[in-house]
Amino acid sequence: MTGLGLCLPLIDGEMPTSLVSRLSRLHGTSPRDFCSDMGLQWPHICSAHPEQLSRLAMLANVSLPQLIRWSGPLVSPCRYRVGHEIASTGVFRRAATRVCPRCVLESHAAGPHYGPFQRVEWLVLSIRVCANHGSALLKLPNAGHAHDTYDLLAQIDRHNSAIQDAADAIELAASTEFEVYVRSRIQGQAAANWLSNWELQHLHRGCLTLGSALLFGSTENSASLDMARGRAALDRGYSALQGGPAQLLNALSELKSAFKTERPYFSTDIGDFYAWLKEEGEEPKLTEVRDAVRNFIIDSYPLRPNMRVLGKKVCTGSRMTFAKARQVSGIARARMKMALGHVHGKRQSSVPVITDVKVDDISLAEDLWASLSNLKDAADALDVHPAQMKSLIGAGVLEAVRLQSALRYVTKASIAAVLTLIDALPTDRPSKVLLPIAEFAKAAASPWRGY
């Protein structure tokens, strides 16, 4: 098979349909007629059939591996290979025209042997700007027939004025770290990390939902963000995820503390990010992040016994509501908060408004209250008047504790120590020179007549 007399270079990242559109224009015909004349089938070129791409590579004298890599072939229902990555139709739109307005104008100026082109990465919705120009990518309306939409140059001719307006009016913006990372994934140049197994749609939805919650609140609908806020959310979510599980847990803690309610709940606090993970079911590529989020929920929220969280049943959680803790321990909420504030060294004003407590902390509160006595009970135990307690505390005879309130308590250990000392005192027997205290006090109340 002989090659074409008039050929064009395949631009890095350019789709085969873009190349055929440029070749057909160079030969003064349409892509469909060009393919018919060359023994090709235009619909099959659009669908990236391997045998058609092989024939096109020989005719156009271009690299077949490169042609296949940037063709966006279907690998399974609704999933495509995009460069070195996999993406679903949720984030990759092969049957669309999305161009950089400035690239189009520059290629027009370069002459017919160069011509406008379309890179496969421009059809990934996660990428919002051109890496070369910082221009926002422009999606052109689809043509009347599906295969006509793939004819790039015809699409540009139809919407040339809109492209010109966009090129004139658009504000330049540098690529975000997220966009740089997605491009490096598509080009097979990204360093390995815990996100390496995620497909492009996972990266897009995960970063968008988490970033939206962190930037705009967990009640914000991440799907309705405009371009500027969407780019910011994607980048913020990526910064929270790319550092690994520890950085993700910091982000989840931020969401929990930001959503201050009397009855916090994890699906409300985490918002669309949790809904997305739940929607993905048991997707194996998301196992590590799903486990990290589930463990955070178990450690941070009270859960019903045998509740299912992200596909797994949780027999017992790490926290209880104050109401449940009272059933278990008999300690009311106010006393529980006072005890835990003392145990953990927190002022009452710094204790967050929450309705749950760590299961392990319940025994700490029980132990603390079991070790203390109020002043009245302490006075009864020592058989002294309650008014004398302040003097005993001030003299250091009894150890006092103040629990985030004006009330003071006495440790039972110090009461026991005093009683032990009293029990160890020698017992005096009545004699001629000794009187019982009661008799002495009675005698002292009247003139002494003993001598």
Side-chain angles (χ1 to χ4, degrees):
M1 180 185 298
T2 59
L4 293 169
L6 294 175
C7 290
L8 294 172
L10 179 64
I11 299 166
D12 185 41
E14 182 181 13
M15 302 187 71
T17 50
S18 172
L19 175 64
V20 171
S21 182
R22 293 196 296 127
L23 284 170
S24 65
R25 182 65 60 92
L26 182 65
H27 288 81
T29 185
S30 68
R32 189 177 294 275
D33 291 341
F34 174 82
C35 287
S36 296
D37 294 340
M38 296 296 109
L40 299 169
Q41 294 178 289
W42 174 237
H44 290 181
I45 294 290
C46 296
S47 300
H49 283 210
E51 70 280 0
Q52 293 289 300
L53 297 182
S54 177
R55 183 175 178 84
L56 174 62
M58 288 186 287
L59 283 169
N61 192 27
V62 296
S63 165
L64 177 59
Q66 188 177 357
L67 203 61
I68 294 174
R69 180 174 297 122
W70 308 125
S71 64
L74 187 71
V75 295
S76 64
C78 300
R79 293 172 70 248
Y80 301 85
R81 181 167 296 281
V82 182
H84 292 266
E85 289 298 321
I86 299 295
S88 73
T89 51
V91 72
F92 177 67
R93 307 293 169 82
R94 190 175 68 180
T97 309
R98 200 163 176 242
V99 297
C100 166
R102 294 181 183 271
C103 282
V104 171
L105 296 187
E106 283 188 1
S107 59
H108 274 318
H113 289 281
Y114 186 74
F117 59 92
Q118 179 168 261
R119 286 194 168 99
V120 69
E121 70 179 43
W122 291 348
L123 300 182
V124 177
L125 300 186
S126 304
I127 297 175
R128 308 291 181 93
V129 300
C130 171
N132 293 336
H133 298 104
S135 304
L137 298 175
L138 177 65
K139 183 185 181 302
L140 303 180
N142 289 344
H145 191 280
H147 292 126
D148 291 340
T149 301
Y150 287 97
D151 185 356
L152 176 67
L153 295 187
Q155 280 283 81
I156 290 174
D157 289 343
R158 291 187 191 101
H159 306 288
N160 189 60
S161 60
I163 294 172
Q164 182 67 58
D165 291 343
D168 293 339
I170 204 157
E171 295 183 5
L172 304 185
S175 295
T176 63
E177 290 187 18
F178 172 74
E179 289 167 334
V180 171
Y181 176 68
V182 173
R183 285 196 189 96
S184 68
R185 288 279 297 263
I186 293 172
Q187 296 163 5
Q189 299 172 351
N193 60 25
W194 82 310
L195 300 178
S196 296
N197 288 333
W198 290 27
E199 296 180 0
L200 295 187
Q201 70 272 12
H202 301 146
L203 281 174
H204 184 92
R205 289 288 306 284
C207 292
L208 179 67
T209 53
L210 181 58
S212 175
L214 289 168
L215 286 179
F216 311 119
S218 58
T219 59
E220 182 73 32
N221 181 3
S222 58
S224 65
L225 298 177
D226 59 25
M227 176 183 166
R229 299 211 306 165
R231 286 188 79 214
L234 285 166
D235 201 44
R236 179 66 181 90
Y238 172 66
S239 70
L241 286 168
Q242 58 91 22
Q247 203 161 330
L248 170 60
L249 294 184
N250 289 338
L252 296 176
S253 297
E254 183 179 334
L255 291 177
K256 185 176 187 296
S257 62
F259 208 102
K260 299 183 184 301
T261 61
E262 282 291 328
R263 300 189 66 83
Y265 196 66
F266 57 86
S267 61
T268 302
D269 291 352
I270 304 174
D272 283 354
F273 183 65
Y274 177 81
W276 166 69
L277 280 175
K278 186 176 180 181
E279 175 187 314
E280 288 291 341
E282 298 182 4
E283 167 59 56
K285 292 180 172 61
L286 301 176
T287 297
E288 193 172 0
V289 68
R290 189 167 48 242
D291 289 346
V293 174
R294 185 189 301 109
N295 291 336
F296 173 80
I297 290 171
I298 292 172
D299 291 340
S300 306
Y301 294 88
L303 303 173
R304 299 188 305 273
N306 297 320
M307 183 177 183
R308 296 189 72 84
V309 177
L310 295 177
K312 283 190 178 180
K313 186 181 291 186
V314 179
C315 297
T316 56
S318 299
R319 305 188 75 90
M320 286 184 181
T321 63
F322 279 114
K324 184 66 176 178
R326 182 171 186 171
Q327 294 177 8
V328 172
S329 65
I331 303 174
R333 171 176 173 161
R335 288 170 62 82
M336 180 70 75
K337 290 187 69 174
M338 276 199 302
L340 297 182
H342 177 78
V343 169
H344 296 304
K346 295 180 180 179
R347 298 187 305 274
Q348 190 161 2
S349 59
S350 69
V351 178
V353 180
I354 57 175
T355 58
D356 56 81
V357 58
K358 288 183 179 179
V359 173
D360 293 342
D361 280 349
I362 294 175
S363 60
L364 296 178
E366 289 176 327
D367 291 344
L368 179 65
W369 284 116
S371 70
L372 300 178
S373 174
N374 61 44
L375 298 188
K376 182 179 183 305
D377 290 344
D380 291 342
L382 294 173
D383 197 19
V384 299
H385 195 278
Q388 295 176 290
M389 295 301 298
K390 183 176 181 180
S391 299
L392 292 174
I393 293 171
V397 175
L398 296 175
E399 179 186 3
V401 176
R402 193 184 298 276
L403 298 182
Q404 316 298 328
S405 71
L407 298 178
R408 284 191 294 180
Y409 297 83
V410 177
T411 63
K412 291 182 179 178
S414 65
I415 297 173
V418 171
L419 293 175
T420 299
L421 290 174
I422 293 173
D423 289 341
L425 292 174
T427 302
D428 294 321
R429 297 180 180 179
S431 67
K432 292 182 180 180
V433 296
L434 295 175
L435 287 175
I437 290 177
E439 292 185 19
F440 174 80
K442 183 178 179 181
S446 58
W448 187 252
R449 302 179 181 279
Y451 293 96

